[in-house]
Amino acid sequence: MRSIRHAPPELAAFVGRAEELAALDRLAVPGRLLTLVGPGGCGKTRLALRLAAGFRVEDPQDACWIGLEELSHPDDVADHIAATLEVTDVRELRDRRLLIALDNCEHVLNGVAAAVAALLGACPGVRVLATSRIPLGVPGERTWPVPPLSLPDALALFLARAEHPVEQDQRGAARRICDRLDRLPLALELAAAWTATLTPAQIAGSLTDPYAMLEGGSRTAPFRQRTLAESMRWSHDLLGVPERVLFRRLCVFEPGFDAGALRVAAAGDLDEPAALRALRGLIGASLVMADTTGPTARYRMLATVRDYGLARLAEAGETSAARDAHLNLQLATLTELAPVLNTDREAWRTRIAADYPNLRAAIEWGLARDDPTDGRRLAAGLAWLWHDEQYGREGLRLMRQAVELGRDERTSLQAECLVGLTMVELTSEPGGPPYPSVRAALELAEETGAAAASRLARSIAAVGLLALDPDQAREQALRARTEAAAAGDVFVAGASAALLGLLHLLRDEHRAATDLLAPAAAALHALGDRGVASSALTWLALAAAQLGHLERAAGLARQAVTTAAPLREVHRIGLARATLAEIQTKQGLYSAAAATLAPLDPFTTGADAVYVPGWGRAHALVALAVDQVAQAQDWLDREQAWGAPPTPAGQLVRARALRRAGDTAAAKEVLAALLTSPLPSIRATALAEQAAALAEHGDAALDLQHEALRVRSAHELTLDCVDSLEAIAALLADRNLAGVLAGAAEQAREVAGYHGEPAPLAEPYPIEAVEKGRTMELSDAVALAQRARGPRGRPASGWDSLTPTERSVVDLAAQGLSNPDIAARLYIGRGTVKTHLAHVYAKLGVANRTELARLAAERRG
């Protein structure tokens, strides 16, 4: 028999159904849905389990069981399926032969139908087996009504489940029981559980008037439905009072409850020994199933049994009290675990995820009460799970409901709900939370003295300000870090430090970035955080690569991928994988880079495609490295099709692809917009690409390459400096100097493990010069190149006399930027901007900014 992942434990032997299994085995084929249809208790689940375990050996390589009984909303089905399969998207399964069994579909039918249709449309080797009370309605679905057991099988099941041996002379009564219960497995098991108390004849006698047992049920209802209800009522009526009390109160708990549920359900009526005896009685009556294979026992009820128990709870007038007690238990659990959130976040997430169905049910009940306070508190406390895990859409729905219910409040609880909502939006909404919402959350948290919420909101506000106002982002991150350190808030302190590191990274200050990111990533990892830790590791990998440490960078990027993987959150995994692929491309590991990108490729195509920033760019870099220029352009076009603003890094790759395709005019047009980028590495690479795009490589091209080298060396962009030295060497008339620079670049490539794109040569360099260069440090070679530049050969006045930096200053000044703004954009001092403008005024013969702007406009026009 095949092992089935996530299958519920089979606590008793499977009996009968040989003919049905043989027929079903022939009906289940790849790319199709087979639905076992029937009423509750007819044996759909056990039949599906046996069918999944017994497929022919040549058929699916793997089988996975996905129970849906804990779900309450159709929109949550797709995420639940992906989470159980441990994938981010079902399209990852497109090349696998796999059986997926979906159990208890009827209450989330629309969500299951949509998920199955998408799954089968994308994965031809997957077959789906479903159990449901009604068909799913998916095109191509094969439905198979599960019949009652044959009489021999029904009798065999009753005898196998009987608590007391059934003698030969009692078999006739046992057959009457089978017939009276329409040979439905659940009803038979419930009846068999009482053979230790009643004889088969007495059991059969209690079912002599089945219609009377329905309590008003329709005589026209299918007999199988009536007999199940009768069996349930009959079984319930034979329970003692303690068992009845415990049974109906336990029904508010979702499958997978533990001893805490037992204490809550028994409170006020049963002491602990009595509650345990009652639980044992419920297990013996097959109303509760126990799983004792783990470190602590956990219990569950079948959905049909729970439904019956909930009806009895309502009859007793205890629904509100039981659900309130259930809510209080979940709140107590969350409160008890709160300290763990700041010491071992992985342990917190694991524990909360195990109880998530009960937490979700408690939140929904709490939010629906006249006083939704406790439901809102529970929702706010669960925001971390929704932030990190795949249930973001469900989290958004519940957090928005919690915020709306407190819209007229100015309380710390409303502040916590607002901050919780921004957290979930940060990973579940494209573009993250709107900054005004974050600011409102921060203001309310400060107003109400919600210190923890205030620190967290401030760090989220810093994220929102990254693109709007980097200086303000830095100020908020610094303040959040300081406040968090004082309060012992490890997460906010680490996350804020990581954000400050990112700000340095965006300024090409890679050593400063490393100094912040390395301890931040370590602290977050020690805390058990995966989300921000993976981002910090990714940024740290980028910094290491820029400094020339490619092997270390690749290791950090792999660690980022591993850290993010359990979260199954596509953007963080995508960022880590795209970064690793870029580093592997620099190392010349092109096949490995493509393999790194492949697992998430399905997310970027099709009707349900997801935008993964940088994904197209990473693919384009691989394509260019193997001289597939058209494919590189295609990947860039795919990323552009999302409508997101093109990134400077992506535009650089596009310019390179255009140049390689022979469209130098289009390449220059793209590059022109990048020459005023605030990021030095972008400006420098744009200059280098401009030089490469020039029709004639003369002094102008050499001038651009030297300016690029100046910027790159000033920011320790090691690999870029290697590119610059090679490009300059290829343009130099002095072949000895060129050989020295080329040799130094060659040695630096070998040390860094950097496989770049060396410039084409008309003739080889002198061997002696190359060998001399190989003995030099990269920094010494850069200094040699800069000293040897000599006169620029520019005219003394006019537009051609301006240096590349002076041209950038002119462009920004003509746009109306102030000296401080220009300094910020170009990462130079304000005094330097003033000096550049003075040189520009002298060279162009203008007296002020107004005349400069007019002259610039005339030149453009």
Side-chain angles (χ1 to χ4, degrees):
M1 302 296 287
R2 178 180 291 101
S3 175
I4 309 171
R5 289 186 291 130
H6 305 301
E10 292 192 83
L11 305 179
F14 184 82
V15 175
R17 299 286 196 191
E19 292 182 6
E20 290 93 330
L21 287 168
L24 288 168
D25 191 58
R26 292 190 295 271
L27 290 176
V29 296
R32 296 289 293 273
L33 163 67
L34 173 62
T35 305
L36 306 186
V37 179
C42 71
K44 300 184 295 294
T45 297
R46 290 299 301 273
L47 182 58
L49 273 168
R50 180 52 49 125
L51 182 62
F55 269 115
R56 294 181 298 273
V57 174
E58 69 270 21
D59 276 329
Q61 299 167 326
D62 192 14
C64 183
W65 188 270
I66 303 177
L68 305 178
E69 62 272 10
E70 68 184 41
L71 300 186
S72 61
H73 199 284
D75 289 347
D76 303 329
V77 171
D79 285 345
H80 180 70
I81 291 174
T84 307
L85 291 170
E86 300 179 353
V87 298
T88 310
D89 188 282
V90 293
R91 285 170 292 185
E92 294 179 51
L93 308 172
R94 65 192 183 281
D95 296 325
R96 290 182 55 188
R97 291 189 295 120
L98 173 68
L99 168 70
I100 298 173
L102 303 174
D103 191 36
N104 287 320
C105 301
E106 56 274 356
H107 62 299
V108 284
L109 202 65
N110 291 339
V112 177
V116 169
L119 177 64
L120 295 179
C123 308
V126 170
R127 66 189 75 192
V128 179
L129 175 65
T131 71
S132 178
R133 297 188 186 186
I134 56 177
L136 304 190
V138 174
E141 177 185 23
R142 289 183 174 179
T143 59
W144 200 85
V146 177
L149 291 168
S150 66
L151 182 57
D153 283 349
L155 181 59
L157 178 64
F158 181 83
L159 297 176
R161 299 293 189 265
E163 296 286 342
H164 190 277
V166 177
E167 302 300 333
Q168 189 66 36
D169 61 353
Q170 297 174 319
R171 298 292 173 92
R175 289 188 184 91
R176 292 199 303 274
I177 293 170
C178 294
D179 286 334
R180 297 286 174 83
L181 295 178
D182 211 25
R183 305 190 299 277
L184 293 177
L186 176 59
L188 290 169
E189 293 195 2
L190 292 169
W194 292 99
T195 54
T197 305
L198 301 173
T199 66
Q202 289 174 312
I203 296 170
S206 69
L207 296 171
T208 55
D209 186 7
Y211 299 116
M213 299 175 71
L214 287 172
E215 287 196 343
S218 171
R219 288 176 179 266
T220 63
F223 186 66
R224 63 180 180 273
Q225 296 177 4
R226 297 201 306 268
T227 54
L228 180 59
E230 291 153 8
S231 179
M232 283 297 309
R233 176 169 176 77
W234 162 77
S235 185
H236 178 263
D237 286 347
L238 289 176
L239 293 175
V241 173
E243 285 91 349
R244 292 187 193 182
V245 170
L246 190 64
F247 169 64
R248 64 177 181 258
R249 293 179 183 174
L250 283 175
C251 288
V252 301
F253 288 86
E254 299 294 321
F257 56 87
D258 59 14
L262 182 66
R263 289 191 294 272
V264 169
D269 291 283
L270 304 172
D271 59 21
E272 185 173 353
L276 288 172
R277 286 194 298 271
L279 177 62
R280 182 179 179 182
L282 295 176
I283 294 171
S286 298
L287 294 173
V288 173
M289 292 179 288
D291 180 2
T292 57
T293 58
T296 59
R298 298 189 73 84
Y299 310 95
R300 65 190 295 266
M301 293 182 185
L302 292 174
T304 51
V305 174
R306 278 190 74 218
D307 289 344
Y308 184 86
L310 289 170
R312 304 291 76 75
L313 189 69
E315 286 177 357
E318 296 178 347
T319 298
S320 293
R323 290 208 175 275
D324 286 347
H326 175 260
L327 171 59
N328 290 335
L329 176 63
Q330 307 314 313
L331 269 173
T333 299
L334 202 63
T335 301
E336 178 187 344
L337 290 173
V340 182
L341 191 60
N342 208 33
T343 57
D344 189 345
R345 191 155 298 218
E346 182 75 1
W348 181 91
R349 186 168 44 248
T350 300
R351 177 69 172 81
I352 291 297
D355 281 332
Y356 180 65
N358 279 296
L359 288 160
R360 177 185 55 209
I363 292 171
E364 290 175 339
W365 169 259
L367 294 179
R369 295 197 309 175
D370 291 338
D371 180 3
T373 300
D374 286 345
R376 295 173 64 221
R377 286 173 55 203
L378 196 55
L382 215 61
W384 278 113
L385 186 73
W386 292 321
H387 170 82
D388 277 343
E389 293 281 354
Q390 265 187 311
Y391 304 106
R393 282 182 291 181
E394 185 170 67
L396 285 175
R397 173 170 57 85
L398 293 173
M399 284 307 313
R400 284 169 177 162
Q401 188 179 350
V403 167
E404 177 62 20
L405 288 168
R407 63 186 180 278
D408 298 325
E409 294 183 8
R410 302 293 293 177
T411 63
S412 59
L413 176 57
Q414 179 67 356
E416 290 168 3
C417 288
L418 285 168
V419 175
L421 176 58
T422 63
M423 281 180 57
V424 182
E425 288 177 329
L426 202 60
T427 54
S428 301
E429 285 282 64
Y435 180 68
S437 300
V438 182
R439 187 173 57 204
L442 175 57
E443 290 172 354
L444 184 58
E446 290 183 321
E447 175 188 320
T448 59
S454 174
R455 293 191 298 271
L456 183 55
R458 196 177 302 285
S459 68
I460 297 173
V463 174
L465 286 165
L466 271 174
L468 300 174
D469 189 337
D471 290 337
Q472 274 295 311
R474 182 175 183 277
E475 181 180 324
Q476 292 288 358
L478 279 171
R479 183 173 171 185
R481 183 189 183 195
T482 301
E483 292 174 353
D489 189 334
V490 180
F491 174 79
V492 172
S496 300
L499 187 61
L500 290 167
L502 175 61
L503 283 164
H504 281 294
L505 190 70
L506 294 176
R507 294 174 180 265
D508 277 324
E509 298 164 353
H510 300 292
R511 293 197 184 279
T514 300
D515 290 343
L516 284 163
L517 289 168
L524 290 166
H525 188 269
L527 177 61
D529 175 79
R530 289 187 177 274
V532 181
S534 70
S535 297
L537 286 166
T538 300
W539 300 332
L540 190 58
L542 288 170
Q546 289 285 28
L547 291 169
H549 308 307
L550 283 180
E551 193 60 39
R552 170 172 162 73
L556 289 165
R558 289 190 188 93
Q559 189 179 349
V561 171
T562 302
T563 300
L567 301 180
R568 297 184 289 277
E569 199 275 297
V570 66
H571 291 95
R572 283 197 169 111
I573 297 173
L575 175 65
R577 283 188 172 274
T579 299
L580 176 57
E582 182 175 346
I583 293 167
Q584 289 170 325
T585 302
K586 291 180 183 296
Q587 293 176 303
L589 305 174
Y590 308 132
S591 296
T596 294
L597 294 170
L600 292 185
D601 282 350
F603 305 146
T604 64
T605 57
D608 299 325
V610 177
Y611 173 56
V612 182
W615 201 252
R617 174 178 175 272
H619 265 295
L621 285 169
V622 178
L624 285 175
V626 295
D627 208 28
Q628 295 176 345
V629 178
Q631 188 175 346
Q633 291 176 311
D634 179 61
W635 275 107
L636 293 167
D637 289 341
R638 288 194 212 179
E639 187 167 289
Q640 194 80 30
W642 282 96
T647 64
Q651 289 297 85
L652 277 177
V653 181
R654 181 175 294 280
R656 187 174 306 162
L658 288 168
R659 174 176 61 81
R660 293 270 296 274
D663 193 348
T664 56
K668 290 178 182 178
E669 185 176 343
V670 172
L671 292 167
L674 300 174
L675 293 175
T676 57
S677 168
L679 194 61
S681 58
I682 296 294
R683 290 202 311 276
T685 304
L687 289 167
E689 284 292 333
Q690 267 201 333
L694 287 176
E696 296 180 2
H697 289 173
D699 193 61
L702 191 58
D703 189 39
L704 290 169
Q705 292 289 4
H706 270 285
E707 179 64 13
L709 177 62
R710 183 190 66 77
V711 175
R712 288 166 165 175
S713 62
H715 291 85
E716 295 186 85
L717 305 175
T718 299
L719 304 185
D720 290 348
C721 284
V722 172
D723 291 338
S724 284
L725 286 180
E726 287 183 340
I728 289 170
L731 295 170
L732 286 173
D734 184 340
R735 304 309 291 165
N736 283 314
L737 175 59
V740 171
L741 298 183
E746 182 180 284
Q747 176 66 17
R749 278 191 185 280
E750 292 178 8
V751 170
Y754 176 38
H755 289 249
E757 183 184 350
L761 298 176
E763 58 179 291
Y765 301 116
I767 295 175
E768 297 81 2
V770 171
E771 290 303 319
K772 180 180 179 181
R774 289 180 61 85
T775 66
M776 297 180 69
E777 294 291 334
L778 182 64
S779 57
D780 293 335
V782 169
L784 174 62
Q786 291 172 331
R787 288 195 307 271
R789 176 67 183 108
R792 298 295 191 272
R794 296 192 188 94
S797 62
W799 287 104
D800 291 340
S801 69
L802 301 183
T803 67
T805 302
E806 288 170 348
R807 293 193 194 104
S808 297
V809 170
V810 169
D811 289 340
L812 295 174
Q815 295 173 28
L817 273 67
S818 65
N819 284 11
D821 290 338
I822 295 173
R825 288 289 298 273
L826 299 180
Y827 292 98
I828 58 179
R830 298 181 184 182
T832 304
V833 174
K834 188 175 181 180
T835 300
H836 280 310
L837 283 173
H839 292 165
V840 167
Y841 293 163
K843 291 178 179 180
L844 298 182
V846 298
N848 51 48
R849 278 173 166 265
T850 302
E851 292 182 13
L852 178 62
R854 176 180 53 79
L855 197 61
E858 290 174 356
R859 178 176 172 80
R860 288 195 302 271

